[in-house]
Amino acid sequence: MKYNKVDNEILERLRIICGTENVITDKEKLIDYSHDEYPRQEIKSYPEVVVKPRNEQEVAEVLKLANENLIPVTPRGAATGLAGGCVPVYGGIVLSLENMNRIIEIDKQNFVVVTESGVPLMKFFKEIEQQGLFFPPHPGDESAMIGGVIATNAGGSRAVKYGVIRNFVRGIEVVLPNGNIIQCGGKLIKNSAGYSLLNLFIGSEGTLGVITKATIAVVPPLASVVTLVVPFENIDSAINAVPEILRSNVLPMAIEFVELEPIILTEKLLNKSWPTKQGSAHLMIIIDAQDKDTALSFAEKVAEVCEKYNAMEVFIADTTDKQQTILEIRSHLYESIKNFTVEILDIAVPIAKIAEFVNNIHEIEKKYGIWLPTYGHAGDGNVHIHYMKGKFVNGEIIQLKESEWQPKLEEVIDKIIDLGLQLGGSITGEHGVGLVKKKYMGKMYSAEYLSLLKSIKNVFDPKNILNPGKII
Amino acid sequence: MKYNKVDNEILERLRIICGTENVITDKEKLIDYSHDEYPRQEIKSYPEVVVKPRNEQEVAEVLKLANENLIPVTPRGAATGLAGGCVPVYGGIVLSLENMNRIIEIDKQNFVVVTESGVPLMKFFKEIEQQGLFFPPHPGDESAMIGGVIATNAGGSRAVKYGVIRNFVRGIEVVLPNGNIIQCGGKLIKNSAGYSLLNLFIGSEGTLGVITKATIAVVPPLASVVTLVVPFENIDSAINAVPEILRSNVLPMAIEFVELEPIILTEKLLNKSWPTKQGSAHLMIIIDAQDKDTALSFAEKVAEVCEKYNAMEVFIADTTDKQQTILEIRSHLYESIKNFTVEILDIAVPIAKIAEFVNNIHEIEKKYGIWLPTYGHAGDGNVHIHYMKGKFVNGEIIQLKESEWQPKLEEVIDKIIDLGLQLGGSITGEHGVGLVKKKYMGKMYSAEYLSLLKSIKNVFDPKNILNPGKII
């Protein structure tokens, strides 16, 4: 691609648009804007300048300027992504939404919140909870920003009952690469007026437009939550119980599966303890209901099903403290292995295929001698697999030499991706394609499908200035 | 537009593709394919030929032939639409999906059903119920076909708890205008791999491709259902209760509002009786729960809220018979006024704006002396307004002279549409744009937005042969 460089004249205009203090060119500060949370550092790339517009008009002016001057622009939220989606591969401008962090309206009559896209989830959760409202989706990292979770159609564990982000976005304001601003949707539950640009922007990873505002559906919270931890001898028994749990007239908020090794590491990391070390695979099931009695009766029903499917025991955590500990350990699983993780996959398969998928991953693990800790969302089929440059030995991770893990990397990842696709899966259930999954798009989709994606990109961004090098 | 006519050579090739018995040119039989359920007959238009392909390969060959020869193709399900979406305005080929009516797989492990797109809802409901499964969305007319409800992103009354069709479509097979076949999605709950063509096709009203198969999410049914009918003095009191009901920790499946006049007419039509004639506006609330006791306790909670909001009384129907009667009357409201309906609108507004919207409609009613019976989905903001060529007098409809209703038609409809849009609404919540709402798209969307829709159409259908003249 032949992009132009950000020269002094452009810099000056950016300062006029966003204010001098919101235009960063200091090399040391640019480091922070060169990467996301993807483990391999070699994908990082420096922007020439970072701008932090304060409103959609400024975003529009930056995009217009960049479009006219053929300068790449990479939009960026909190950079909690795991696929390099906000890495500015062609340099140019990083457009950070961090200054657009106002919650504009909490509308309790229509059960929606109107917010700027740079609001972090933790702020969003806190402010709506104070108003007696609840936002069901919970993508793991609460520092993620609203715009980013919409741009990747993020998921998280509560999708079993409540669905993914897509189901909760009622409207968005988007700045197009040419600097024009459009509104999609609104405070509406139903809308069948024309092609849903709203749903096209959701999951488009900042390649079609920059989301500047969003209208998000929220719900009244259910009063009581109970968490179950259920050990099984192996992953098959655990996963076989899942469809039966879903058939039991109780729809849990979350059904997660975890294997023992990352749990042991996370216990150490946090100095907290998980309810059991039995078996090799556990289900963690979160149930919400309108009151405590109902929640407990739901929990008993689910426990019965698990026992029928050879659960070794059922731990019911009904106090906030006990549940907090379990959740904290679940939330920190990735952190406990992160320093030794080379690649993280988030393949989604049909729920009934999880056991077959995970068993086959363990076969690959044995064959290649690479540790592939695996856990994820049993209730929605989204499986996280980690390619490790360390081995799990006696409760610790022992580092491998580069010569031991590097040569096998590509082959093992390819095998796992192929396996997921053979089972009817997707190369990414919630992280997005970004930079690092791009090479697998051709495995998942036909040439015709990919060519449609390219043509759609061309409709919105004919000069290819917006987050170039991503998705396709 | 300069389309070619269907000549004998094309007819011969269509017969070779679909079989002679599946190619119809008999003028009398073509009448059935010239319209949908939209009340005004003058929008009807005859196709030159109707084809009924038996599988996606035949659909592909028909489209390829039409594309090469510049012949318009209008896809058609059961034609239960209310916006002229399947009317072949440029003649050419009507492609009826009626022969593609097989349910391919009921997958109880993954809670999905794979089906051809010509399966009528009533068949779909019946077959999955026999397998102990439930499909929550319920667009009014059960003769509608799966492909059609996806193409319009249909809604119905149960969207309050379960959402619209979009939320239940996991995958589709689509034949593009060039005859190529693509797969979108699958048996997956989560998928963030590239722009969601799945969601672009949902609601595209057969203008981007022909949906030939769908993978639909289903759920285990909740065991107990209770229906409430709650009369209020006026529409304000009724609608004001709705957000509070939604906040009560009970999420009803449906919250409908109805006004008295259509109820009286439907009672006569069916010779059945509605529980009450008090007040002028009623809420009909359907609650489902895991067992009878819970359903009843939910009903009591909702009843309390209604009483707090000045309900005149609360009727709780807990037997199947009583509920059946109420539902039947609700389902036949349109039928009771259909013969005198000139225009039917399905404007969606934010739920908290329904009362203001309906009150304003009654103002227009008075000002213009046109009867505008109004009812709809209070829980999701979707309001059905009917422009009548009759007056309601002593429980009957008295026909107006054409000179009494015709001259005011356009002005009144325009006023109602403008009102809905001013309140943050959509010109169509569930019926789709089709032919008859096209002229209002410019009121709802900016020129930039519409130009994006046009460019997307052009990506999929550069020769504009697929359902031309619709949406934009």
Side-chain angles (χ1 to χ4, degrees):
Chain A
M1 317 241 177
K2 283 183 196 155
Y3 292 111
N4 291 319
K5 289 286 162 195
V6 178
D7 60 20
N8 282 332
E9 198 191 321
I10 298 286
L11 276 180
E12 195 41 48
R13 291 183 61 185
L14 290 172
R15 288 189 188 107
I16 292 167
I17 295 168
C18 298
T20 307
E21 70 282 16
N22 294 312
V23 177
I24 297 169
T25 51
D26 178 351
K27 280 277 169 226
E28 271 183 46
K29 288 190 185 150
L30 294 182
I31 298 177
D32 289 345
Y33 296 88
S34 66
H35 62 86
D36 64 359
E37 292 292 318
Y38 180 72
R40 265 182 292 164
Q41 282 299 303
E42 58 262 41
I43 69 159
K44 94 178 154 189
S45 173
Y46 285 74
E48 295 159 62
V49 58
V50 174
V51 298
K52 305 177 183 179
R54 294 158 294 189
N55 55 53
E56 67 280 6
Q57 293 303 336
E58 292 183 6
V59 173
E61 285 181 57
V62 170
L63 285 180
K64 195 157 179 281
L65 181 69
N67 201 37
E68 282 166 3
N69 291 280
L70 208 63
I71 294 168
V73 178
T74 305
R76 180 183 170 100
T80 57
L82 289 158
C86 66
V87 173
V89 278
Y90 295 102
I93 300 168
V94 158
L95 190 158
S96 169
L97 278 307
E98 65 199 276
N99 278 338
M100 294 178 60
N101 58 0
R102 284 160 292 234
I103 291 178
I104 296 161
E105 184 193 5
I106 298 181
D107 178 345
K108 295 169 87 167
Q109 291 303 104
N110 286 305
F111 297 94
V112 291
V113 178
V114 184
T115 172
E116 288 184 331
S117 58
V119 170
L121 282 180
M122 65 182 85
K123 176 175 174 174
F124 187 79
F125 287 137
K126 200 174 145 197
E127 297 215 5
I128 66 164
E129 271 162 33
Q130 284 169 355
Q131 301 293 320
L133 293 165
F134 175 58
F135 180 62
H138 193 275
D141 192 331
E142 293 194 0
S143 55
M145 289 175 188
I146 291 288
V149 300
I150 295 174
T152 54
N153 187 25
S157 57
R158 296 183 195 150
V160 182
K161 178 168 179 177
Y162 293 105
V164 294
I165 292 290
R166 184 181 299 282
N167 304 11
F168 289 84
V169 184
R170 297 265 183 263
I172 48 177
E173 176 186 86
V174 180
V175 183
L176 300 173
N178 63 12
N180 287 334
I181 301 175
I182 61 168
Q183 309 293 332
C184 308
K187 292 182 176 180
L188 294 168
I189 297 171
K190 285 180 177 170
N191 183 12
S192 288
Y195 314 144
S196 180
L197 297 190
L198 172 65
N199 277 286
L200 191 57
F201 283 115
I202 297 171
S204 69
E205 303 188 44
T207 64
L208 302 181
V210 177
I211 298 168
T212 45
K213 285 200 193 82
T215 303
I216 308 279
V218 290
V219 298
L222 285 183
S224 282
V225 178
V226 167
T227 302
L228 275 63
V229 171
V230 190
F232 291 84
E233 200 162 324
N234 52 48
I235 185 78
D236 288 276
S237 325
I239 295 302
N240 284 336
V242 174
E244 193 64 25
I245 294 171
L246 294 172
R247 257 194 296 274
S248 71
N249 255 348
V250 175
L251 186 58
M253 185 153 80
I255 309 177
E256 301 280 292
F257 78 95
V258 285
E259 294 186 280
L260 210 53
E261 296 167 347
I263 288 181
I264 291 169
L265 292 166
T266 313
E267 283 185 316
K268 269 197 184 165
L269 176 76
L270 300 174
N271 197 22
K272 302 219 163 172
S273 90
W274 187 255
T276 169
K277 304 278 179 317
Q278 292 181 73
S280 74
H282 297 184
L283 291 182
M284 183 194 95
I285 301 156
I286 309 178
I287 291 162
D288 61 348
Q290 65 276 15
D291 56 48
K292 188 98 191 181
D293 286 350
T294 311
L296 284 174
S297 84
F298 282 170
E300 272 160 38
K301 257 194 196 172
V302 170
E304 267 170 44
V305 173
C306 289
E307 276 156 13
K308 200 175 121 196
Y309 279 79
N310 303 318
M312 303 173 79
E313 205 155 340
V314 175
F315 294 85
I316 300 185
D318 55 353
T319 67
T320 309
D321 268 9
K322 279 189 211 162
Q323 297 193 59
Q324 203 52 49
T325 303
I326 293 169
L327 273 183
E328 217 183 322
I329 292 176
R330 168 62 187 91
S331 300
H332 286 78
L333 288 178
Y334 178 52
E335 208 177 309
S336 79
I337 56 172
K338 195 173 164 183
N339 291 339
F340 297 89
T341 298
V342 179
E343 179 67 79
I344 174 168
L345 297 174
D346 73 314
I347 294 171
V349 294
I351 50 171
K353 298 289 185 187
I354 297 175
E356 185 179 344
F357 187 47
V358 176
N359 281 329
N360 271 296
I361 288 167
H362 289 325
E363 292 295 318
I364 294 171
E365 193 168 44
K366 270 180 231 150
K367 183 174 164 194
Y368 287 88
I370 294 293
W371 183 33
L372 302 168
T374 296
Y375 51 78
H377 313 303
D380 62 39
N382 199 187
V383 179
H384 296 301
I385 308 118
H386 307 75
Y387 186 101
M388 303 298 288
K389 58 181 177 186
K391 282 210 174 299
F392 182 83
V393 182
N394 296 329
E396 279 181 30
I397 306 181
I398 310 295
Q399 172 121 30
L400 296 180
K401 279 179 272 176
E402 190 156 338
S403 62
E404 291 174 289
W405 63 265
Q406 176 69 54
K408 301 170 188 169
L409 177 63
E410 211 168 315
E411 193 179 333
V412 168
I413 298 296
D414 264 2
K415 276 223 177 325
I416 296 172
I417 298 259
D418 289 344
L419 188 60
L421 292 175
Q422 279 157 26
L423 296 172
S426 165
I427 57 170
T428 169
E430 60 188 14
H431 293 168
V433 178
L435 183 59
V436 302
K437 303 282 162 58
K438 218 170 73 168
K439 58 186 165 201
Y440 309 116
M441 287 287 275
K443 286 179 185 253
M444 180 164 170
Y445 293 121
S446 65
E448 181 84 20
Y449 193 103
L450 292 176
S451 128
L452 289 170
L453 298 193
K454 275 191 194 124
S455 301
I456 289 170
K457 166 72 173 171
N458 191 52
V459 163
F460 288 81
D461 185 19
K463 291 183 173 177
N464 196 23
I465 62 133
L466 197 57
N467 208 0
K470 309 297 164 56
I471 301 187
I472 27 171
Chain B
M1 317 242 177
K2 284 184 197 152
Y3 292 111
N4 291 320
K5 289 286 162 197
V6 177
D7 59 19
N8 282 333
E9 196 190 322
I10 297 286
L11 276 181
E12 194 43 46
R13 289 181 64 185
L14 290 172
R15 289 190 187 107
I16 292 167
I17 294 168
C18 298
T20 307
E21 72 281 16
N22 294 313
V23 176
I24 297 170
T25 52
D26 178 352
K27 281 275 171 225
E28 270 185 45
K29 289 190 184 149
L30 293 183
I31 299 177
D32 289 345
Y33 296 88
S34 66
H35 63 87
D36 65 357
E37 293 292 318
Y38 180 72
R40 266 183 291 165
Q41 283 297 307
E42 58 261 41
I43 69 159
K44 96 178 151 190
S45 174
Y46 286 73
E48 295 158 62
V49 58
V50 174
V51 298
K52 305 177 182 179
R54 293 159 293 188
N55 55 54
E56 68 278 8
Q57 293 304 334
E58 293 183 4
V59 173
E61 285 180 58
V62 170
L63 286 179
K64 195 158 179 280
L65 181 69
N67 202 38
E68 283 166 2
N69 290 280
L70 208 61
I71 294 168
V73 178
T74 305
R76 179 183 172 100
T80 57
L82 290 159
C86 66
V87 173
V89 277
Y90 295 102
I93 300 169
V94 158
L95 190 158
S96 168
L97 277 309
E98 64 198 278
N99 278 338
M100 294 177 61
N101 59 0
R102 284 160 291 233
I103 292 178
I104 296 161
E105 184 193 4
I106 298 181
D107 177 345
K108 296 169 86 168
Q109 292 305 105
N110 286 306
F111 297 94
V112 291
V113 178
V114 183
T115 172
E116 288 185 332
S117 58
V119 170
L121 282 180
M122 65 182 86
K123 176 176 175 173
F124 187 79
F125 287 138
K126 199 174 145 196
E127 297 215 6
I128 66 166
E129 270 162 31
Q130 284 168 355
Q131 301 291 319
L133 293 165
F134 174 58
F135 179 63
H138 194 275
D141 192 331
E142 293 196 359
S143 54
M145 288 176 190
I146 291 288
V149 299
I150 296 174
T152 54
N153 187 27
S157 57
R158 296 183 194 150
V160 183
K161 179 169 178 177
Y162 293 104
V164 294
I165 291 290
R166 185 183 297 284
N167 303 13
F168 289 84
V169 184
R170 299 266 182 262
I172 47 175
E173 175 185 87
V174 180
V175 183
L176 300 172
N178 62 13
N180 287 334
I181 301 174
I182 61 169
Q183 308 294 332
C184 307
K187 292 182 176 180
L188 294 167
I189 297 172
K190 287 181 178 169
N191 183 12
S192 287
Y195 314 145
S196 180
L197 296 191
L198 172 66
N199 277 286
L200 192 56
F201 283 114
I202 296 171
S204 67
E205 302 188 46
T207 64
L208 302 180
V210 177
I211 298 168
T212 44
K213 285 200 192 82
T215 302
I216 308 280
V218 290
V219 299
L222 285 182
S224 282
V225 177
V226 167
T227 301
L228 275 63
V229 170
V230 191
F232 291 85
E233 200 163 324
N234 54 46
I235 185 77
D236 288 278
S237 326
I239 295 302
N240 283 337
V242 174
E244 193 66 23
I245 293 170
L246 293 172
R247 256 195 296 275
S248 71
N249 254 347
V250 175
L251 186 56
M253 185 151 83
I255 309 177
E256 301 280 292
F257 78 94
V258 286
E259 294 186 280
L260 210 53
E261 296 168 348
I263 287 180
I264 290 169
L265 292 167
T266 313
E267 283 185 316
K268 270 199 186 165
L269 176 76
L270 300 175
N271 197 21
K272 302 216 164 176
S273 90
W274 186 255
T276 171
K277 303 279 178 318
Q278 293 182 70
S280 73
H282 296 184
L283 292 182
M284 183 195 94
I285 301 157
I286 309 179
I287 291 162
D288 61 347
Q290 65 275 15
D291 54 48
K292 188 98 190 181
D293 286 351
T294 312
L296 284 173
S297 84
F298 282 171
E300 273 160 35
K301 257 193 193 172
V302 170
E304 269 170 42
V305 173
C306 289
E307 275 155 13
K308 201 174 122 193
Y309 278 79
N310 303 318
M312 303 173 79
E313 203 154 341
V314 176
F315 294 85
I316 299 185
D318 55 353
T319 66
T320 310
D321 268 9
K322 281 189 210 161
Q323 297 194 58
Q324 203 53 48
T325 302
I326 294 168
L327 274 183
E328 218 182 321
I329 292 176
R330 167 63 188 90
S331 301
H332 286 80
L333 289 179
Y334 178 51
E335 210 178 306
S336 79
I337 57 173
K338 195 173 164 182
N339 291 339
F340 297 88
T341 298
V342 178
E343 180 66 80
I344 173 167
L345 297 172
D346 73 313
I347 294 171
V349 295
I351 49 172
K353 299 287 186 188
I354 297 175
E356 184 178 346
F357 186 47
V358 176
N359 281 329
N360 272 296
I361 288 167
H362 289 323
E363 292 295 318
I364 295 171
E365 195 168 43
K366 270 180 233 152
K367 182 174 167 195
Y368 288 87
I370 294 293
W371 184 34
L372 301 168
T374 296
Y375 51 78
H377 314 302
D380 61 39
N382 198 187
V383 180
H384 297 299
I385 308 118
H386 307 76
Y387 187 100
M388 303 299 287
K389 56 180 176 187
K391 281 210 176 298
F392 182 84
V393 182
N394 297 329
E396 277 180 34
I397 307 181
I398 310 294
Q399 173 122 28
L400 296 180
K401 277 178 273 176
E402 190 157 338
S403 62
E404 291 174 290
W405 63 265
Q406 177 69 53
K408 303 170 186 170
L409 178 63
E410 211 169 315
E411 193 177 335
V412 169
I413 298 297
D414 264 3
K415 276 224 176 327
I416 297 172
I417 299 259
D418 289 344
L419 187 61
L421 292 174
Q422 279 158 27
L423 295 172
S426 166
I427 57 170
T428 168
E430 57 188 17
H431 294 168
V433 178
L435 183 61
V436 302
K437 305 282 162 59
K438 218 170 74 169
K439 58 185 166 202
Y440 308 117
M441 288 288 275
K443 288 181 184 252
M444 179 164 171
Y445 294 120
S446 65
E448 181 84 21
Y449 193 104
L450 292 176
S451 128
L452 289 170
L453 298 193
K454 275 191 194 124
S455 301
I456 289 171
K457 166 72 174 172
N458 191 50
V459 164
F460 288 82
D461 185 18
K463 292 183 173 177
N464 196 24
I465 61 134
L466 198 56
N467 208 0
K470 310 298 165 57
I471 301 186
I472 28 170

